[in-house]
Amino acid sequence: MSLAAVMSTRQVAAPGRLLMSGNEAVARAVWEAGARVAAAYPGTPSTEMLEQLAGYPDIYSEWSVNEKVSLEVALGASMAGSRSFCAMKHVGMNVASDTLMTMTLTGVVGGLVIAIADDVGLSSSQNEQDSRYWGRFAHVPVLEPADSQEAYDFTLAAFELSERFEVPVILRLTTRICHVKGLVTVGQRSERPVAGFTKDVGRWVMVPSGAGRRLPLMFERERRLRAEAEVSELNVLEAGSDHRVGFVTSGPAYMHVRESFPNAPVFKLGFSFPLPFERLRHFAEHCESLVVVEEVEPLIETELKAQGFQAIGKEILPLSGELSPQVLKPAIARLLGEPVPEHSRARPLAVFPRPPTMCVACPHLGVYYTLSQLRNVTISGDIGCYTLGFGQPWNALDTCISMGASMGMALGLDKGRSDAERHQKIVAVIGDSTFLHMGIQGLLDIVYNRGNVTVLLLDNRAVGMTGGQANPGSGRNIHGREAPRVDFAQLVKALGVREERVHVVNAYELPVLLRTLRHETKIPEPSVIITNQPCVLIKDYHPLKPYTVLEERCTGCGNCIDVGCPAIHVTRRDRVRKTHGREVDLAFVRIESAACTGCGLCLKPCAPDAIVHVDTLAMPIKVVRQAPGT
């Protein structure tokens, strides 16, 4: 059954208790709140919110080309009077902030909730920024759930708050909330009337004169929001019998505090900006020491200290990572002058190293194998599966900063090169979704400013890094239905790359890819090489007959290992002295034929022709049992 068919036939679970991740709980609440429009760009750990919403009826959902566009779609729906929702990971708000910083002046009509998922602990991100700053910067309220049930409850509350104060509301999540499951009590959808768009240029056209008139309204709104925080039921004071330390905390850090110190008084901030200073002051009066536990920046701590609180925070707690009991207990023990718990001193067990790698037959494998064969080249990288090209065995990526940055940085590397580097080749690597997200402008800048850059545009028809989601280059939408597909060759030509400098190459044809790269990097003008094989994890990919290694032919040359395919395993190593006296390391291999998809990348570098197709008769037979009468 196609994804579209699955979506169209999906049944919404009835009200009751469901086992849900935080992402699933947020999606359920968005649907129940009567939202009519939801938009996002996929990014771990936020991705599943839109994937789940796409399965609910009565709501329009889309993968937008980037986070800024997704927020603008949500804002437009809100202007029309509909409740709307937007989701992104923390770095996505950097892209969307231009819109956020003005919509805080216009305000909203239909409730608008922005879920921002922070990656505390850096499980899949290039930085660990704290999205609570955006509440302060944009003067909008921030809600912080601590588990899946609160993710659901706070989302419903956020819509109500948004409409009551005509303000977008940030729902700040973290990886632990997004991906950990718990029981959630859910309800049913409540339909909301839609008033439609009311023209008001003084509000919706943000020229300087209009923005100036809206500024006092924004500050007055923040004053009212602070008063609301003082009485909000989302902020909870939990009494405790041990008053030596009282904790102020929010989000999943609350769970760590409660687990570590069950007898301590805790002020749990669910409505964490604006802060309820008066309630916090009353709480602090009943504690000998006040410790702020927050992930990751000292925002609350700094604001409390500015108000005269004698608060302790990052003096004893780390500035990065999760504040687990293993971190909290020894820190508080030292604060109280107590012995550090013995179990906190023990070092964690060493885990067998598992460096990240690409999938078997990934079309990027051949690209990086080819790049590793080039000499005198600087490779500007980007965000995606292909970021893994920096590691072994390829070592073929030199930079990686943010989405789309490979293009601008490549131009800077070209224009800023030293005289000694005048013959250095500059290559920029970028994926299809990342190119559409933020790379188009960079390529346009390269063309406009006559950069000597060769661009490798890796089109695998998916947002592979976050699970194979659709994008405008995949030919289908979030529901799996057919959609217009971008022709990348025509697009880059439209940006000004000359036709003879645009090449579409099969990523598995290593000789052609190497020949094209060598030729284009010698041409002192912008070139674009587009690889056009699909991600091996999406339905567009069709595996072929797998390969195996003939042991009697394998000479241990190890060339196939350099491709980096995880289906190739070293069975033994040896070291021999050649007739000319030089010692050579040998690596004899086998191919895990059950994992091999027959892409053939390992054939090209195999010197002794020891890799052959698995005999069809020798392959395992799968028996498919059919029901009687079918």
PDB file of all heavy atoms in Angstrom, residues 6-38:
ATOM      1  N   VAL A   6      -2.020   4.830   2.881  1.00  0.00           N
ATOM      2  CA  VAL A   6      -1.957   4.624   4.323  1.00  0.00           C
ATOM      3  C   VAL A   6      -2.491   5.841   5.051  1.00  0.00           C
ATOM      4  O   VAL A   6      -3.284   5.744   6.000  1.00  0.00           O
ATOM      5  CB  VAL A   6      -0.510   4.325   4.761  1.00  0.00           C
ATOM      6  CG1 VAL A   6      -0.387   4.356   6.282  1.00  0.00           C
ATOM      7  CG2 VAL A   6      -0.069   2.967   4.228  1.00  0.00           C
ATOM      8  N   MET A   7      -2.052   7.030   4.602  1.00  0.00           N
ATOM      9  CA  MET A   7      -2.489   8.257   5.249  1.00  0.00           C
ATOM     10  C   MET A   7      -3.999   8.441   5.139  1.00  0.00           C
ATOM     11  O   MET A   7      -4.667   8.870   6.072  1.00  0.00           O
ATOM     12  CB  MET A   7      -1.773   9.469   4.633  1.00  0.00           C
ATOM     13  CG  MET A   7      -0.277   9.508   4.915  1.00  0.00           C
ATOM     14  SD  MET A   7       0.084   9.630   6.673  1.00  0.00           S
ATOM     15  CE  MET A   7       1.856   9.892   6.617  1.00  0.00           C
ATOM     16  N   SER A   8      -4.543   8.105   3.966  1.00  0.00           N
ATOM     17  CA  SER A   8      -5.969   8.343   3.734  1.00  0.00           C
ATOM     18  C   SER A   8      -6.851   7.376   4.503  1.00  0.00           C
ATOM     19  O   SER A   8      -8.023   7.649   4.745  1.00  0.00           O
ATOM     20  CB  SER A   8      -6.279   8.255   2.233  1.00  0.00           C
ATOM     21  OG  SER A   8      -6.034   6.948   1.764  1.00  0.00           O
ATOM     22  N   THR A   9      -6.310   6.220   4.903  1.00  0.00           N
ATOM     23  CA  THR A   9      -7.108   5.217   5.600  1.00  0.00           C
ATOM     24  C   THR A   9      -6.807   5.156   7.089  1.00  0.00           C
ATOM     25  O   THR A   9      -7.404   4.377   7.806  1.00  0.00           O
ATOM     26  CB  THR A   9      -6.859   3.818   4.990  1.00  0.00           C
ATOM     27  OG1 THR A   9      -5.476   3.501   5.106  1.00  0.00           O
ATOM     28  CG2 THR A   9      -7.273   3.779   3.537  1.00  0.00           C
ATOM     29  N   ARG A  10      -5.861   5.962   7.567  1.00  0.00           N
ATOM     30  CA  ARG A  10      -5.477   5.906   8.967  1.00  0.00           C
ATOM     31  C   ARG A  10      -6.643   6.293   9.862  1.00  0.00           C
ATOM     32  O   ARG A  10      -7.349   7.259   9.607  1.00  0.00           O
ATOM     33  CB  ARG A  10      -4.291   6.832   9.204  1.00  0.00           C
ATOM     34  CG  ARG A  10      -3.921   6.968  10.683  1.00  0.00           C
ATOM     35  CD  ARG A  10      -2.682   7.805  10.847  1.00  0.00           C
ATOM     36  NE  ARG A  10      -2.510   8.155  12.247  1.00  0.00           N
ATOM     37  CZ  ARG A  10      -1.465   8.805  12.699  1.00  0.00           C
ATOM     38  NH1 ARG A  10      -0.499   9.146  11.872  1.00  0.00           N
ATOM     39  NH2 ARG A  10      -1.358   9.105  13.967  1.00  0.00           N
ATOM     40  N   GLN A  11      -6.830   5.530  10.923  1.00  0.00           N
ATOM     41  CA  GLN A  11      -7.860   5.820  11.900  1.00  0.00           C
ATOM     42  C   GLN A  11      -7.239   6.562  13.080  1.00  0.00           C
ATOM     43  O   GLN A  11      -6.198   6.178  13.609  1.00  0.00           O
ATOM     44  CB  GLN A  11      -8.500   4.518  12.388  1.00  0.00           C
ATOM     45  CG  GLN A  11      -9.196   3.723  11.286  1.00  0.00           C
ATOM     46  CD  GLN A  11     -10.376   4.474  10.694  1.00  0.00           C
ATOM     47  OE1 GLN A  11     -11.224   4.994  11.424  1.00  0.00           O
ATOM     48  NE2 GLN A  11     -10.423   4.547   9.375  1.00  0.00           N
ATOM     49  N   VAL A  12      -7.886   7.644  13.512  1.00  0.00           N
ATOM     50  CA  VAL A  12      -7.407   8.399  14.651  1.00  0.00           C
ATOM     51  C   VAL A  12      -7.834   7.675  15.921  1.00  0.00           C
ATOM     52  O   VAL A  12      -9.003   7.319  16.081  1.00  0.00           O
ATOM     53  CB  VAL A  12      -7.970   9.830  14.638  1.00  0.00           C
ATOM     54  CG1 VAL A  12      -7.516  10.586  15.865  1.00  0.00           C
ATOM     55  CG2 VAL A  12      -7.531  10.554  13.379  1.00  0.00           C
ATOM     56  N   ALA A  13      -6.875   7.432  16.803  1.00  0.00           N
ATOM     57  CA  ALA A  13      -7.179   6.716  18.039  1.00  0.00           C
ATOM     58  C   ALA A  13      -8.225   7.473  18.849  1.00  0.00           C
ATOM     59  O   ALA A  13      -8.232   8.707  18.911  1.00  0.00           O
ATOM     60  CB  ALA A  13      -5.903   6.542  18.857  1.00  0.00           C
ATOM     61  N   ALA A  14      -9.122   6.721  19.457  1.00  0.00           N
ATOM     62  CA  ALA A  14     -10.197   7.310  20.261  1.00  0.00           C
ATOM     63  C   ALA A  14      -9.625   7.918  21.534  1.00  0.00           C
ATOM     64  O   ALA A  14      -8.512   7.571  21.963  1.00  0.00           O
ATOM     65  CB  ALA A  14     -11.219   6.230  20.604  1.00  0.00           C
ATOM     66  N   PRO A  15     -10.376   8.833  22.190  1.00  0.00           N
ATOM     67  CA  PRO A  15      -9.908   9.386  23.460  1.00  0.00           C
ATOM     68  C   PRO A  15      -9.605   8.279  24.466  1.00  0.00           C
ATOM     69  O   PRO A  15     -10.269   7.252  24.501  1.00  0.00           O
ATOM     70  CB  PRO A  15     -11.087  10.250  23.913  1.00  0.00           C
ATOM     71  CG  PRO A  15     -11.805  10.604  22.646  1.00  0.00           C
ATOM     72  CD  PRO A  15     -11.655   9.412  21.751  1.00  0.00           C
ATOM     73  N   GLY A  16      -8.586   8.495  25.258  1.00  0.00           N
ATOM     74  CA  GLY A  16      -8.168   7.500  26.231  1.00  0.00           C
ATOM     75  C   GLY A  16      -6.715   7.704  26.578  1.00  0.00           C
ATOM     76  O   GLY A  16      -6.179   8.805  26.455  1.00  0.00           O
ATOM     77  N   ARG A  17      -6.032   6.643  27.003  1.00  0.00           N
ATOM     78  CA  ARG A  17      -4.612   6.719  27.346  1.00  0.00           C
ATOM     79  C   ARG A  17      -3.810   6.004  26.275  1.00  0.00           C
ATOM     80  O   ARG A  17      -4.076   4.836  25.960  1.00  0.00           O
ATOM     81  CB  ARG A  17      -4.347   6.093  28.716  1.00  0.00           C
ATOM     82  CG  ARG A  17      -5.060   6.787  29.867  1.00  0.00           C
ATOM     83  CD  ARG A  17      -4.562   6.268  31.199  1.00  0.00           C
ATOM     84  NE  ARG A  17      -3.271   6.857  31.553  1.00  0.00           N
ATOM     85  CZ  ARG A  17      -2.470   6.368  32.495  1.00  0.00           C
ATOM     86  NH1 ARG A  17      -2.792   5.261  33.138  1.00  0.00           N
ATOM     87  NH2 ARG A  17      -1.323   6.957  32.776  1.00  0.00           N
ATOM     88  N   LEU A  18      -2.833   6.721  25.720  1.00  0.00           N
ATOM     89  CA  LEU A  18      -2.005   6.180  24.653  1.00  0.00           C
ATOM     90  C   LEU A  18      -0.539   6.312  25.037  1.00  0.00           C
ATOM     91  O   LEU A  18      -0.146   7.265  25.727  1.00  0.00           O
ATOM     92  CB  LEU A  18      -2.262   6.940  23.342  1.00  0.00           C
ATOM     93  CG  LEU A  18      -3.706   6.988  22.826  1.00  0.00           C
ATOM     94  CD1 LEU A  18      -3.785   7.901  21.614  1.00  0.00           C
ATOM     95  CD2 LEU A  18      -4.200   5.600  22.487  1.00  0.00           C
ATOM     96  N   LEU A  19       0.271   5.350  24.571  1.00  0.00           N
ATOM     97  CA  LEU A  19       1.716   5.428  24.769  1.00  0.00           C
ATOM     98  C   LEU A  19       2.281   6.298  23.653  1.00  0.00           C
ATOM     99  O   LEU A  19       2.203   5.937  22.478  1.00  0.00           O
ATOM    100  CB  LEU A  19       2.337   4.034  24.729  1.00  0.00           C
ATOM    101  CG  LEU A  19       3.849   3.969  25.006  1.00  0.00           C
ATOM    102  CD1 LEU A  19       4.150   4.420  26.441  1.00  0.00           C
ATOM    103  CD2 LEU A  19       4.375   2.564  24.766  1.00  0.00           C
ATOM    104  N   MET A  20       2.835   7.436  24.014  1.00  0.00           N
ATOM    105  CA  MET A  20       3.263   8.413  23.016  1.00  0.00           C
ATOM    106  C   MET A  20       4.607   9.022  23.371  1.00  0.00           C
ATOM    107  O   MET A  20       4.915   9.249  24.549  1.00  0.00           O
ATOM    108  CB  MET A  20       2.245   9.560  22.910  1.00  0.00           C
ATOM    109  CG  MET A  20       0.909   9.189  22.306  1.00  0.00           C
ATOM    110  SD  MET A  20      -0.161  10.649  22.214  1.00  0.00           S
ATOM    111  CE  MET A  20      -1.010  10.318  20.677  1.00  0.00           C
ATOM    112  N   SER A  21       5.384   9.321  22.331  1.00  0.00           N
ATOM    113  CA  SER A  21       6.562  10.169  22.520  1.00  0.00           C
ATOM    114  C   SER A  21       6.085  11.612  22.662  1.00  0.00           C
ATOM    115  O   SER A  21       4.923  11.938  22.375  1.00  0.00           O
ATOM    116  CB  SER A  21       7.496  10.056  21.322  1.00  0.00           C
ATOM    117  OG  SER A  21       6.884  10.615  20.167  1.00  0.00           O
ATOM    118  N   GLY A  22       6.994  12.485  23.081  1.00  0.00           N
ATOM    119  CA  GLY A  22       6.633  13.894  23.172  1.00  0.00           C
ATOM    120  C   GLY A  22       6.219  14.452  21.828  1.00  0.00           C
ATOM    121  O   GLY A  22       5.265  15.235  21.733  1.00  0.00           O
ATOM    122  N   ASN A  23       6.917  14.066  20.762  1.00  0.00           N
ATOM    123  CA  ASN A  23       6.560  14.539  19.425  1.00  0.00           C
ATOM    124  C   ASN A  23       5.154  14.088  19.038  1.00  0.00           C
ATOM    125  O   ASN A  23       4.367  14.849  18.464  1.00  0.00           O
ATOM    126  CB  ASN A  23       7.572  14.023  18.397  1.00  0.00           C
ATOM    127  CG  ASN A  23       8.863  14.817  18.411  1.00  0.00           C
ATOM    128  OD1 ASN A  23       8.921  15.916  18.955  1.00  0.00           O
ATOM    129  ND2 ASN A  23       9.902  14.266  17.812  1.00  0.00           N
ATOM    130  N   GLU A  24       4.843  12.827  19.313  1.00  0.00           N
ATOM    131  CA  GLU A  24       3.506  12.308  18.996  1.00  0.00           C
ATOM    132  C   GLU A  24       2.443  13.018  19.815  1.00  0.00           C
ATOM    133  O   GLU A  24       1.351  13.314  19.311  1.00  0.00           O
ATOM    134  CB  GLU A  24       3.466  10.804  19.257  1.00  0.00           C
ATOM    135  CG  GLU A  24       4.321   9.992  18.297  1.00  0.00           C
ATOM    136  CD  GLU A  24       4.474   8.551  18.724  1.00  0.00           C
ATOM    137  OE1 GLU A  24       4.472   8.271  19.947  1.00  0.00           O
ATOM    138  OE2 GLU A  24       4.588   7.675  17.841  1.00  0.00           O
ATOM    139  N   ALA A  25       2.752  13.299  21.084  1.00  0.00           N
ATOM    140  CA  ALA A  25       1.793  13.972  21.953  1.00  0.00           C
ATOM    141  C   ALA A  25       1.519  15.397  21.478  1.00  0.00           C
ATOM    142  O   ALA A  25       0.369  15.859  21.501  1.00  0.00           O
ATOM    143  CB  ALA A  25       2.320  13.978  23.387  1.00  0.00           C
ATOM    144  N   VAL A  26       2.560  16.092  21.051  1.00  0.00           N
ATOM    145  CA  VAL A  26       2.367  17.449  20.521  1.00  0.00           C
ATOM    146  C   VAL A  26       1.483  17.403  19.285  1.00  0.00           C
ATOM    147  O   VAL A  26       0.544  18.195  19.143  1.00  0.00           O
ATOM    148  CB  VAL A  26       3.730  18.093  20.194  1.00  0.00           C
ATOM    149  CG1 VAL A  26       3.526  19.387  19.402  1.00  0.00           C
ATOM    150  CG2 VAL A  26       4.503  18.381  21.475  1.00  0.00           C
ATOM    151  N   ALA A  27       1.772  16.466  18.374  1.00  0.00           N
ATOM    152  CA  ALA A  27       0.972  16.364  17.152  1.00  0.00           C
ATOM    153  C   ALA A  27      -0.493  16.103  17.473  1.00  0.00           C
ATOM    154  O   ALA A  27      -1.396  16.711  16.878  1.00  0.00           O
ATOM    155  CB  ALA A  27       1.531  15.248  16.259  1.00  0.00           C
ATOM    156  N   ARG A  28      -0.746  15.193  18.408  1.00  0.00           N
ATOM    157  CA  ARG A  28      -2.126  14.897  18.796  1.00  0.00           C
ATOM    158  C   ARG A  28      -2.808  16.147  19.334  1.00  0.00           C
ATOM    159  O   ARG A  28      -3.956  16.449  18.984  1.00  0.00           O
ATOM    160  CB  ARG A  28      -2.140  13.784  19.852  1.00  0.00           C
ATOM    161  CG  ARG A  28      -3.520  13.477  20.443  1.00  0.00           C
ATOM    162  CD  ARG A  28      -4.359  12.669  19.499  1.00  0.00           C
ATOM    163  NE  ARG A  28      -5.725  12.494  19.992  1.00  0.00           N
ATOM    164  CZ  ARG A  28      -6.475  11.427  19.745  1.00  0.00           C
ATOM    165  NH1 ARG A  28      -5.990  10.425  19.020  1.00  0.00           N
ATOM    166  NH2 ARG A  28      -7.708  11.346  20.195  1.00  0.00           N
ATOM    167  N   ALA A  29      -2.119  16.899  20.179  1.00  0.00           N
ATOM    168  CA  ALA A  29      -2.705  18.101  20.757  1.00  0.00           C
ATOM    169  C   ALA A  29      -2.964  19.174  19.708  1.00  0.00           C
ATOM    170  O   ALA A  29      -3.975  19.883  19.763  1.00  0.00           O
ATOM    171  CB  ALA A  29      -1.798  18.638  21.859  1.00  0.00           C
ATOM    172  N   VAL A  30      -2.059  19.311  18.738  1.00  0.00           N
ATOM    173  CA  VAL A  30      -2.270  20.284  17.658  1.00  0.00           C
ATOM    174  C   VAL A  30      -3.546  19.952  16.905  1.00  0.00           C
ATOM    175  O   VAL A  30      -4.364  20.836  16.598  1.00  0.00           O
ATOM    176  CB  VAL A  30      -1.050  20.294  16.704  1.00  0.00           C
ATOM    177  CG1 VAL A  30      -1.353  21.115  15.453  1.00  0.00           C
ATOM    178  CG2 VAL A  30       0.179  20.842  17.410  1.00  0.00           C
ATOM    179  N   TRP A  31      -3.723  18.674  16.629  1.00  0.00           N
ATOM    180  CA  TRP A  31      -4.934  18.252  15.912  1.00  0.00           C
ATOM    181  C   TRP A  31      -6.173  18.483  16.770  1.00  0.00           C
ATOM    182  O   TRP A  31      -7.177  19.028  16.302  1.00  0.00           O
ATOM    183  CB  TRP A  31      -4.811  16.776  15.526  1.00  0.00           C
ATOM    184  CG  TRP A  31      -6.058  16.223  14.906  1.00  0.00           C
ATOM    185  CD1 TRP A  31      -6.533  16.479  13.642  1.00  0.00           C
ATOM    186  CD2 TRP A  31      -6.997  15.331  15.503  1.00  0.00           C
ATOM    187  NE1 TRP A  31      -7.712  15.798  13.426  1.00  0.00           N
ATOM    188  CE2 TRP A  31      -8.000  15.081  14.554  1.00  0.00           C
ATOM    189  CE3 TRP A  31      -7.062  14.718  16.760  1.00  0.00           C
ATOM    190  CZ2 TRP A  31      -9.090  14.240  14.829  1.00  0.00           C
ATOM    191  CZ3 TRP A  31      -8.134  13.883  17.025  1.00  0.00           C
ATOM    192  CH2 TRP A  31      -9.133  13.655  16.075  1.00  0.00           C
ATOM    193  N   GLU A  32      -6.103  18.099  18.044  1.00  0.00           N
ATOM    194  CA  GLU A  32      -7.258  18.266  18.925  1.00  0.00           C
ATOM    195  C   GLU A  32      -7.606  19.739  19.129  1.00  0.00           C
ATOM    196  O   GLU A  32      -8.772  20.096  19.325  1.00  0.00           O
ATOM    197  CB  GLU A  32      -6.991  17.616  20.278  1.00  0.00           C
ATOM    198  CG  GLU A  32      -7.046  16.100  20.265  1.00  0.00           C
ATOM    199  CD  GLU A  32      -6.936  15.512  21.658  1.00  0.00           C
ATOM    200  OE1 GLU A  32      -7.196  16.244  22.640  1.00  0.00           O
ATOM    201  OE2 GLU A  32      -6.597  14.312  21.775  1.00  0.00           O
ATOM    202  N   ALA A  33      -6.589  20.603  19.089  1.00  0.00           N
ATOM    203  CA  ALA A  33      -6.823  22.033  19.306  1.00  0.00           C
ATOM    204  C   ALA A  33      -7.577  22.680  18.148  1.00  0.00           C
ATOM    205  O   ALA A  33      -7.931  23.858  18.227  1.00  0.00           O
ATOM    206  CB  ALA A  33      -5.490  22.749  19.514  1.00  0.00           C
ATOM    207  N   GLY A  34      -7.819  21.930  17.076  1.00  0.00           N
ATOM    208  CA  GLY A  34      -8.547  22.476  15.938  1.00  0.00           C
ATOM    209  C   GLY A  34      -7.682  23.226  14.954  1.00  0.00           C
ATOM    210  O   GLY A  34      -8.191  23.984  14.124  1.00  0.00           O
ATOM    211  N   ALA A  35      -6.356  23.019  15.027  1.00  0.00           N
ATOM    212  CA  ALA A  35      -5.471  23.681  14.063  1.00  0.00           C
ATOM    213  C   ALA A  35      -5.814  23.212  12.654  1.00  0.00           C
ATOM    214  O   ALA A  35      -6.169  22.065  12.428  1.00  0.00           O
ATOM    215  CB  ALA A  35      -4.015  23.370  14.389  1.00  0.00           C
ATOM    216  N   ARG A  36      -5.677  24.123  11.710  1.00  0.00           N
ATOM    217  CA  ARG A  36      -6.003  23.816  10.317  1.00  0.00           C
ATOM    218  C   ARG A  36      -4.773  23.754   9.416  1.00  0.00           C
ATOM    219  O   ARG A  36      -4.835  23.195   8.321  1.00  0.00           O
ATOM    220  CB  ARG A  36      -6.975  24.871   9.769  1.00  0.00           C
ATOM    221  CG  ARG A  36      -8.352  24.825  10.415  1.00  0.00           C
ATOM    222  CD  ARG A  36      -9.176  26.045  10.047  1.00  0.00           C
ATOM    223  NE  ARG A  36      -9.362  26.163   8.601  1.00  0.00           N
ATOM    224  CZ  ARG A  36     -10.381  25.619   7.931  1.00  0.00           C
ATOM    225  NH1 ARG A  36     -11.282  24.901   8.567  1.00  0.00           N
ATOM    226  NH2 ARG A  36     -10.495  25.808   6.629  1.00  0.00           N
ATOM    227  N   VAL A  37      -3.645  24.303   9.860  1.00  0.00           N
ATOM    228  CA  VAL A  37      -2.435  24.346   9.040  1.00  0.00           C
ATOM    229  C   VAL A  37      -1.228  24.017   9.906  1.00  0.00           C
ATOM    230  O   VAL A  37      -1.082  24.539  11.025  1.00  0.00           O
ATOM    231  CB  VAL A  37      -2.250  25.735   8.389  1.00  0.00           C
ATOM    232  CG1 VAL A  37      -0.908  25.823   7.676  1.00  0.00           C
ATOM    233  CG2 VAL A  37      -3.390  26.036   7.417  1.00  0.00           C
ATOM    234  N   ALA A  38      -0.355  23.142   9.392  1.00  0.00           N
ATOM    235  CA  ALA A  38       0.886  22.791  10.081  1.00  0.00           C
ATOM    236  C   ALA A  38       1.998  22.704   9.047  1.00  0.00           C
ATOM    237  O   ALA A  38       1.819  22.123   7.980  1.00  0.00           O
ATOM    238  CB  ALA A  38       0.754  21.468  10.832  1.00  0.00           C
TER     239      ALA A  38
END
